[in-house]
Amino acid sequence: MNDYMTYVWIAYGVAFAIIAPVMVASFLKNRALKKRIATLEKDGSNDP
Amino acid sequence: MSTPFSQKLFSLANPARFTRISRPLLWFSSAVGAVLLVWGLYLALAGSPADYLQLEAVRIMYIHVPAAWLAMMIYTSLGLAALSFLLWKHTLAGLYIHAAAPLGAAFTAVCLITGSLWGKPTWGAWWVWDARLTSVLVLFFLYVGIMALSDAFDNKDRGLRAGAWLCLIGIVNLPVIKFSVDWWNTLHQPASVSSFSRMADPAIHEDMLRPLLAMAASFICIFISIIIVRLENEIMARRLEIMELERTARA
């Protein structure tokens, strides 16, 4: 172990901080879109 | 001119068919990616030796290099998608450009920032205007440009066409990135693994090659998982637009 490990932890942290939000946002948007489509389909089927 | 193979390939570009095959592929790539990531992180942070010169700083390589490979792979795939979209007007190829460009930008940002964090302890500088670093920065700007152009028009297809043209123009930057370390005198080291001459005999010890390849494979699986979800989002967003138009027309 030496001072260089600080650079290593920051590098891994930055990589995680960039990729994880992109991943989570994509999955959340997927869920929201599926819900919206399901609601619209349900509304459509209730139309006279 | 169509062969059975090209017909099969083109049939996969159908959004409805894509949606059917995407779910099993998503579960598979996510599971494999998670296992490889855990194993790769263990090897990268604890299970591999420190370098005799760079000491522990060498561990940054295990995320910097896979991010750089992926940034270039994504751009290559964008170029192919752009060609397919402009020549054959494949809807899925256009949607792929819109879905993959932010991911390419994210992995290029990881490559640039981790490179900078690796440069400080090894070169003594956060950044140098060296051919490799500058051409990767240009790659990042290309991704940002594609994202901006794709969303710059009211007509979505027009925006995708403009983004696709920029993808094709930017392809010229890929050989510059790849061969910049051979064409010019740079601070950046030449390829240790990813050149044809180095593939059979990598200039890196197997104890370091193993975590590097594990992390690269996990990054690819993570990319496949995210791109599947983002493509599904693009398809659903288009479907939602049509449904809302129909709903408005009915009201």
Side-chain angles (χ1 to χ4, degrees):
Chain A
M1 281 292 190
N2 51 57
D3 289 349
Y4 291 164
M5 247 354 237
T6 311
Y7 291 99
V8 175
W9 289 121
I10 295 171
Y12 280 73
V14 166
F16 180 78
I18 292 175
I19 304 300
V22 180
M23 194 155 110
V24 172
S26 303
F27 277 93
L28 288 179
K29 191 178 175 188
N30 191 273
R31 221 171 66 163
L33 282 168
K34 272 184 185 155
K35 268 187 188 169
R36 180 80 188 124
I37 286 176
T39 313
L40 280 179
E41 276 176 344
K42 206 175 157 192
D43 289 352
S45 66
N46 288 338
D47 280 353
Chain B
M1 224 359 222
S2 277
T3 63
F5 175 74
S6 66
Q7 278 169 0
K8 212 175 243 179
L9 196 73
F10 286 0
S11 72
L12 282 174
N14 176 308
R17 195 162 289 122
F18 169 80
T19 311
R20 273 202 300 280
I21 61 163
S22 64
R23 277 288 133 172
L25 187 61
L26 173 64
W27 288 115
F28 178 75
S29 61
S30 302
V32 174
V35 171
L36 282 172
L37 185 66
V38 171
W39 185 54
L41 280 174
Y42 163 71
L43 289 178
L45 292 168
S48 61
D51 186 66
Y52 79 109
L53 266 178
Q54 301 179 41
L55 306 175
E56 303 291 343
V58 77
R59 298 188 194 284
I60 297 174
M61 172 177 74
Y62 305 125
I63 43 169
H64 171 75
V65 176
W69 286 346
L70 199 54
M72 289 180 67
M73 274 184 217
I74 295 172
Y75 202 91
T76 309
S77 72
L78 279 186
L80 293 173
L83 207 60
S84 173
F85 182 65
L86 292 170
L87 285 182
W88 298 294
K89 298 189 173 22
H90 281 153
T91 319
L92 199 63
L95 297 179
Y96 178 84
I97 294 170
H98 196 247
L103 282 179
F107 282 105
T108 312
V110 169
C111 169
L112 286 168
I113 297 171
T114 55
S116 183
L117 284 158
W118 195 9
K120 184 63 184 166
T122 49
W123 299 341
W126 296 104
W127 182 265
V128 281
W129 290 103
D130 157 287
R132 171 60 70 84
L133 278 70
T134 310
S135 52
V136 174
L137 185 64
V138 170
L139 181 71
F140 177 74
F141 290 143
L142 278 168
Y143 277 126
V144 175
I146 293 163
M147 284 158 64
L149 259 184
S150 306
D151 284 326
F153 295 87
D154 286 339
N155 181 331
K156 285 192 175 163
D157 279 344
R158 219 171 144 199
L160 288 179
R161 262 203 306 280
W165 276 113
L166 184 58
C167 283
L168 285 184
I169 294 164
I171 283 281
V172 77
N173 189 41
L174 291 183
V176 176
I177 296 175
K178 176 81 187 112
F179 298 110
S180 54
V181 285
D182 304 319
W183 291 343
W184 294 286
N185 280 327
T186 66
L187 257 183
H188 198 284
Q189 67 166 70
S192 304
V193 184
S194 60
S195 71
F196 291 116
S197 56
R198 280 289 182 196
M199 220 123 8
D201 180 26
I204 179 171
H205 192 269
E206 64 179 72
D207 286 347
M208 290 177 170
L209 187 61
R210 213 173 292 126
L212 184 63
L213 295 181
M215 288 298 282
S218 79
F219 271 37
I220 291 171
C221 289
I222 289 168
F223 166 71
I224 291 172
S225 300
I226 306 177
I227 197 63
I228 287 172
V229 174
R230 291 180 68 85
L231 270 173
E232 280 184 0
N233 291 353
E234 295 285 339
I235 293 168
M236 282 194 289
R238 291 239 164 165
R239 195 176 154 208
L240 200 59
E241 255 174 45
I242 296 168
M243 288 173 87
E244 289 193 330
L245 279 175
E246 285 172 352
R247 194 187 183 205
T248 317
R250 273 202 308 272

